[in-house]
Every structure is written in C-alpha cells, then in structure tokens.
Amino acid sequence: MTQQPDPRPLYRDALAWAQSLIENVRPDQFGLPTPCPEFDVRTMLGHLVTVVERSRVVGEGGSALSVPLVTPEVPGDDWALAFGAGVQKMLSVWSDDGLLDTVVTVPWGTMPGRAALWGYLDEAVVHGWDLAVATGQPPEGPAHAAEATLAVFKQTLPADQRGEGVPFGPPVDPAPDAGPTERLANWVGHHR
C-alpha cells in the first residue's frame, strides 16, 4: 500500500468541493433523501463532519470508532462552519509527511496512513456526490480526485469482494454520460 501516491492534495480538493456543497444546503432540504439509503441530507451533513473528525483522530493515533458515525448536531445548524473547522484541524494533523507511512487503524483495517486517507478521500467524494444529487447541486466534483480514487478502489475493492461485512453495495453500471464522480459513486454501489 505504500506504493500508492500521496492522497493529501486530492483529499484537500475533494474537501474544498464538499465545503462548497455544504455551504449551499438550505435548512428546508435537511429531510430530503440521498442516494446513500442510510442518510437523509441532515445526517449526511453530520456524517461528512464525522469523516474529517475520524480522519483527524486516526492521524493523531486514536481510534476512528471513538467518533460516532454521524455528528447529530452542531451549534446553530451551521454545518459549513463545523465542517470547515474540522477540515482545518485534520489537515494540520496530516501535514506531517511521516504519517503517510505510519500504520494506523481505521474501521476497515490496519494499514499505512496513506491507504487510510484514500478511504477517507473516497468518502468525501462519494458522499459529496450524494449530497449534491439530493440537493440539486452540480454533482461532479474534482475530476482528478474522482478518477484517481476510482483507480485505487478498483484495485482495493474489486466487484467480487462485496457482501456481508463490506459497507459497499455491488457496483452499478454507470450511465453513458456519467462523469468521474458519478462513476466512483456507482463503483461503491450508489446510484440516482
């Protein structure tokens, strides 16, 4: 896994895109369903806040599972502020190049930090797509981040390794005009 490139620049770009989506979510959209069946818009916002918090905790040597799957609320329902503050803290932790090859434990296994960040990058892009689709925003994020993540996930999450205990559904055939973000979402089982 240490042969994988540094995902941090791609992760930063994906998080900036997610931030822009979160900033444009209206309170009247909180109850809308998303393509991720476990989350409506409000719980998706809470999960995106959790994703960066878990990433920070893992980088600090802690357990991602010490952070709930969804942050249930933030002051004043200001999800954009909470997400942005979490991103800054997390990026500060992961600015240490040594963490890329430090073995960390995430919910899907024990691996070098760079491999863990690829997983969190996937969550940012796919759940950004989920949020964009649910709220009627442009659903294509940074193409370079989606394409690179899809290439990694096609190697590390083959189609035949889904099922019990794997938090991804079977791949969905992408629409002929699907962009890279949607193709990544389809690979992990999300669809419109």
Side-chain angles (χ1 to χ4, degrees):
M1 291 293 243
T2 58
Q3 303 303 319
Q4 293 174 339
D6 181 350
R8 293 176 299 179
L10 300 172
Y11 194 25
R12 278 191 291 274
D13 292 348
L15 292 170
W17 173 62
Q19 176 78 39
S20 71
L21 296 171
I22 293 168
E23 289 169 355
N24 289 305
V25 172
R26 300 183 319 267
D28 66 308
Q29 296 175 316
F30 287 172
L32 295 175
T34 71
C36 185
E38 296 87 17
F39 301 130
D40 62 13
V41 168
R42 182 184 202 62
T43 52
M44 180 62 72
L45 293 168
H47 183 61
L48 284 165
V49 168
T50 290
V51 166
V52 294
E53 179 67 7
R54 282 183 166 192
S55 183
R56 178 191 63 77
V57 168
V58 166
E60 291 175 340
S63 168
L65 296 177
S66 70
V67 180
L69 184 63
V70 174
T71 299
E73 58 185 48
V74 296
D77 268 343
D78 195 338
W79 294 100
L81 180 65
F83 183 78
V87 167
Q88 292 310 310
K89 289 177 187 174
M90 183 274 301
L91 291 176
S92 176
V93 168
W94 283 95
S95 66
D96 178 358
D97 291 342
L99 285 178
L100 293 175
D101 297 314
T102 299
V103 174
V104 298
T105 301
V106 288
W108 55 91
T110 300
M111 60 197 62
R114 75 180 64 236
L117 283 182
W118 279 103
Y120 287 121
L121 168 59
D122 173 72
E123 286 203 69
V125 177
V126 171
H127 289 318
W129 180 83
D130 291 331
L131 185 63
V133 168
T135 58
Q137 298 185 61
E140 284 299 315
H144 60 289
E147 289 167 348
T149 306
L150 180 57
V152 167
F153 268 64
K154 281 191 172 187
Q155 291 178 3
T156 60
L157 183 67
D160 62 353
Q161 292 185 7
R162 314 291 171 95
E164 190 175 334
V166 177
F168 300 103
V172 174
D173 289 330
D177 62 344
T181 304
E182 186 161 351
R183 287 194 314 271
L184 173 61
N186 294 160
W187 183 254
V188 299
H190 293 219
H191 58 88
R192 292 177 189 255

